[in-house]
Amino acid sequence: MKSSSLAAAAVAVALLLSVCVNGFDDQVSATKPLVKTVKGKKLCDKGWECKGWSQYCCNLTITDFFQTYQFEELFSNRNAPVAHAVGFWDFQSFILAAALFEPLGFGTTGGKLMQMKELAAFLGHVGSKTSCGYGVATGGPLAWGLCYNREMSPMQSYCDDFYKYTYPCSPGAEYYGRGALPIYWNYNYGAAGEALKVDLLNHPEYIEQNATLAFQAAIWRWMTPIKKSQPSAHEAFVGTWKPTKNDTLSKRFPGFGTTMNVLYGDQVCGQGDIDAMNNIVSHYQYYLDLMGVGREEAGPHEVLTCAEQLAFNPTTQASS
């Protein structure tokens, strides 16, 4: 991911903050794209939401097909009295965060159907990882995404001294789970902070204080491979990743299942139809339905799940 692209988009997002205090939906619908052709390739710039002359900005952008009321439907109980992050998460914070990555293809790759499916997939992960829903909860267990913005009772500070020369733990800092796709460990805070140009290594608490930053960190993780030789969750989902022979033998195919492999590895994959995996899948299907796409678009079992997939990065006995 090019830091220059992120920096340019960050400037656009900063400018938008000055005009989006009121009338957010009016602002997002008023932008007209600029278009030019470079070496036979059509490039577009849509201003604040898709800034920086990108082929992806010539497609629909997220606010073209995803509105405030849909966000409210997907996360209908996030501000319920029993939720743990009341007042933190909102549609505007998500859109401002997404604007940084739309020129790179987040929610802007392919046609409208693929774009909506990717958004449902990403938010499906977010919903499952921040949910406080349970079987008899009001609205059902899938209606409680974005209930949390932090780990409530961390058992440790998540400081790994192995990275003391690259991402040294800051005195007094605790690197427990925070955010929309919760970040754990000093090295993950360090890497996310470098990409987003925010000092998260010394100030991991920023993630639970700023919803836009929390969404940015989650989208960065979605868009960024764990290792250079592997796909990002985004690439695995939209199909720009081409599996190798080893991937095929490991039953890894483009689709939602492989996004779980990228993000969680053998914590949820390669263990059959376990609850941890099925919960994430159920959130994705639930959001597809609410967005009007329909869960039938999620694909067959081998694409939708990672039940039989070998992990990209298997955990070892020592690290576990």
Side-chain angles (χ1 to χ4, degrees), residues 160-176:
D160 188 340
D161 273 341
F162 180 80
Y163 296 89
K164 61 185 177 182
Y165 296 114
T166 50
Y167 299 119
C169 299
S170 180
E174 294 189 344
Y175 302 99
Y176 56 75

Side-chain angles (χ1 to χ4, degrees), residues 261-277:
N261 197 327
V262 171
L263 296 174
Y264 319 120
D266 51 17
Q267 293 179 47
V268 301
C269 296
Q271 302 181 52
D273 290 308
I274 61 172
D275 288 345
M277 182 197 73

